[in-house]
């Protein structure tokens, strides 16, 4: 028995997503890069790299991780590169994508001979959350003005546009891509490759994959570009759980259960977006508010129904715990950091990483 808390990555579930990614690559001609900002647990890259073309990044560290652990094509993007990073970024990447014309011009000499791109901001997004909306007012994420971009077009060979966000609607994707074509069509005609970013939930149940692939292919043919996708969440969705144990139960007007984990430390993204965690299938007359063990008063995973009264020692499993979760885990309160386990394709479970006091100590000085 593996000591809780631990994240459990199920390779069979991951493979289901990967097979869809593969299908989209084959049918649309698009290349697929894993967005490491969403998921960077490299012990399962052996499987993922068989189905994807490489990685994309948001920092020098992610660029190096992608090159070292995933291989394939390595796209280097960051909101802003620092002078002292640029040589290593170039040495470890196949393409560098600048967020602004200012950055492109700043590093123009350093990056001569490297494949260069620029991020465009189309001013439309599918995000329901202002914090995650790349097209929010005054957004710093990419260039908006086609005229200004046209003046530097000879310095680049491609664009990156990331404006989808948890978008499960093909109609909305299609409509926004048409808006992009209207706004930036003249620019798209001038380049060789276009990355459409992440945020497209094409691995979700019922997504119209063939219409999606046809739309991508038509876009690629219209502008004569190699299309890239940067799926983060879509690559790993529903592949991973966070396994925890009940440490205490109490009644304070509601039944409460405290577990050996913390939403703030181990599923921080949910706290930021004020969304409850998802519990593995459970139902019944016993409702509990499941809480974390950190000191944060609002360290609450959510309220769930069970078919039995919870007691100390019971095991609970939060599903969909891979995206923006493991990459954001932290040592708040010194709460034991979850181990990482992998369910291999043959069903065996392998513990691939444990964290201890030394890791806690070495995370600060
Ligand atoms: C530039 C870029 N590419 C890809 C992604 C991955 O998005 P998702 O995990 O929603 O697919 C993001 C997410 O913020 C992003 O900013």
């Amino acid at each position: 028995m593996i000591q809780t808390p631990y994240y459990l990555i199920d390779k069979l579930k991951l493979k289901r997503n990967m097979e869809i990614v593969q299908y989209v690559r084959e049918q649309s001609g698009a290349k697929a890069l894993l967005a490491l900002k969403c998921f960077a647990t490299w012990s399962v890259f052996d499987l993922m790299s068989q189905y994807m073309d490489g990685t994309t990044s948001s920092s020098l560290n992610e660029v190096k991780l992608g090159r070292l652990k995933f291989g394939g094509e390595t796209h280097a993007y960051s909101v802003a590169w620092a002078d002292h990073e640029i040589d290593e970024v170039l040495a470890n990447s196949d393409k560098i994508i600048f967020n602004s014309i200012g950055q492109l011009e700043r590093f123009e000499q350093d990056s001569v001979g490297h494949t260069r791109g620029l991020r465009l901001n189309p001013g439309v997004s599918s995000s329901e959350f202002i914090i995650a909306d790349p097209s929010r007012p005054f957004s710093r994420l990419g260039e908006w003005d086609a005229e200004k971009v046209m003046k530097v077009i000879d310095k680049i060979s491609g664009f990156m546009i990331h404006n989808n966000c948890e978008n499960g609607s093909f109609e909305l994707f299609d409509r926004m891509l048409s808006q992009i074509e209207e706004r930036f069509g003249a620019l798209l005609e001038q380049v060789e490759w276009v990355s459409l970013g992440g945020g497209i939930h094409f691995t979700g149940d019922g997504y119209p994959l063939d219409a999606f692939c046809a739309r991508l292919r038509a876009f690629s043919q219209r502008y004569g570009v190699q299309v890239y996708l940067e799926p983060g969440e879509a690559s790993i969705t529903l592949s991973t759980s966070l396994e925890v144990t009940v440490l205490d139960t109490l009644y304070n007007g509601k039944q409460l259960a405290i577990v050996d984990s913390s939403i703030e430390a181990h599923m921080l993204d949910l706290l930021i977006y004020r969304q409850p965690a998802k519990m593995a299938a459970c139902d019944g007359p016993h409702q509990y508010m499941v809480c974390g063990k950190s000191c944060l008063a609002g360290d609450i995973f959510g309220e769930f129904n069970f078919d039995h009264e919870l007691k100390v020692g019971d095991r609970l499993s939060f599903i969909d715990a891979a995206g923006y979760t493991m990459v954001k885990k932290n040592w708040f309160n010194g709460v034991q950091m979850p181990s990482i386990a992998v369910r291999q394709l043959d069903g065996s479970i392998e513990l691939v990483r444990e964290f201890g006091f030394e890791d806690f100590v070495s995370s600060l000085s």
Side-chain angles (χ1 to χ4, degrees):
M1 279 281 277
I2 299 172
Q3 178 66 55
T4 60
Y6 63 94
Y7 298 101
L8 176 61
I9 307 173
D10 188 329
K11 273 193 175 172
L12 208 59
K13 293 181 180 162
L14 193 57
K15 189 160 170 263
R16 175 206 164 270
N17 295 334
M18 290 295 104
E19 283 166 352
I20 298 174
V21 171
Q22 168 96 314
Y23 181 81
V24 168
R25 288 165 69 214
E26 284 167 5
Q27 299 300 311
S28 71
K31 293 189 179 183
L33 306 175
L34 175 66
L36 292 173
K37 70 186 70 189
C38 170
F39 182 79
T41 310
W42 44 266
S43 29
V44 293
F45 284 0
D46 58 339
L47 176 76
M48 301 181 86
S49 59
Q50 294 170 36
Y51 296 87
M52 302 184 80
D53 295 283
T55 55
T56 188
S57 54
S58 19
S59 64
L60 171 59
N61 282 329
E62 285 188 353
V63 173
K64 288 164 68 176
L65 185 79
R67 170 90 2 134
L68 181 70
K69 298 286 191 186
F70 202 104
E73 268 188 72
T74 308
H75 282 204
Y77 165 75
S78 168
V79 170
W81 300 112
D83 290 4
H84 65 270
E85 296 177 321
I86 201 72
D87 288 345
E88 245 190 311
V89 171
L90 294 167
N92 287 287
S93 65
D94 298 287
K95 291 186 177 66
I96 185 164
I97 300 166
F98 295 104
N99 183 63
S100 69
I101 294 173
Q103 283 256 308
L104 169 64
E105 290 181 336
R106 176 170 192 82
F107 297 113
E108 190 180 342
Q109 289 315 313
D110 306 82
S111 60
V112 166
H114 209 74
T115 303
R116 294 187 291 216
L118 184 64
R119 179 167 184 172
L120 294 179
N121 191 323
V124 284
S125 159
S126 65
S127 181
E128 288 169 18
F129 298 94
I130 185 80
I131 192 175
D133 181 352
S135 298
R136 59 189 274 146
F138 317 111
S139 172
R140 71 198 186 295
L141 303 171
E143 292 287 351
W144 305 61
D145 185 339
E147 260 179 56
K148 265 171 68 183
V149 175
M150 197 56 102
K151 292 193 182 122
V152 296
I153 197 83
D154 56 325
K155 303 186 203 300
I156 55 176
S157 61
F159 291 115
M160 187 270 276
I161 302 166
H162 169 78
N163 67 320
N164 286 280
C165 189
E166 307 238 342
N167 184 5
S169 160
F170 170 69
E171 289 70 30
L172 180 56
F173 167 78
D174 179 31
R175 201 161 4 132
M176 291 197 303
L177 191 57
S178 298
Q179 289 169 316
I180 289 170
E181 293 180 275
E182 250 168 62
R183 183 167 181 158
F184 294 131
L187 292 172
L188 301 175
E189 274 162 16
Q190 307 282 318
V191 294
E192 292 159 23
W193 54 273
V194 175
S195 174
L196 295 174
I200 311 163
H201 268 231
F202 62 92
T203 53
D205 279 344
Y207 195 88
L209 283 178
D210 291 320
F212 179 52
C213 293
R215 184 66 176 94
L216 294 175
R217 193 171 276 287
F219 177 88
S220 158
Q221 285 169 352
R222 178 167 177 193
Y223 299 101
V225 291
Q226 171 64 54
V227 171
Y228 287 86
L229 299 171
E230 302 178 0
E233 189 61 52
S235 303
I236 47 72
T237 195
L238 291 172
S239 66
T240 299
S241 59
L242 173 62
E243 303 293 319
V244 303
T245 299
V246 175
L247 297 180
D248 195 12
T249 58
L250 48 153
Y251 180 79
N252 270 341
K254 280 187 176 182
Q255 297 288 355
L256 309 179
I258 299 173
V259 298
D260 57 356
S261 176
S262 156
I263 194 162
E264 167 138 62
H266 306 154
M267 297 190 105
L268 180 60
D269 211 46
L270 295 176
L271 197 62
I272 293 172
Y273 291 93
R274 297 181 196 280
Q275 292 178 325
K278 294 180 214 157
M279 181 72 71
C282 61
D283 204 6
H286 303 279
Q287 190 177 54
Y288 284 81
M289 181 185 273
V290 177
C291 309
K293 63 174 280 177
S294 84
C295 66
L296 181 76
D299 193 345
I300 299 164
F301 286 92
E303 294 190 33
F304 308 96
N305 286 321
F306 300 90
D307 59 6
H308 59 284
E309 281 183 24
L310 291 186
K311 56 181 191 323
V312 172
D314 280 356
R315 282 279 305 276
L316 304 179
S317 178
F318 297 110
I319 60 167
D320 213 6
Y324 301 99
T325 297
M326 304 171 85
V327 289
K328 291 193 180 190
K329 62 188 168 51
N330 61 69
W331 280 109
F332 181 58
N333 270 207
V335 177
Q336 176 60 40
M337 187 163 279
S339 305
I340 301 173
V342 176
R343 182 177 280 125
Q344 301 292 352
L345 293 174
D346 66 5
S348 63
I349 293 181
E350 194 184 328
L351 179 63
V352 295
R353 182 77 159 94
E354 276 179 292
F355 300 92
F357 177 63
E358 285 311 315
D359 297 297
F360 174 50
V361 172
S362 64
S363 71
L364 288 170
S365 71

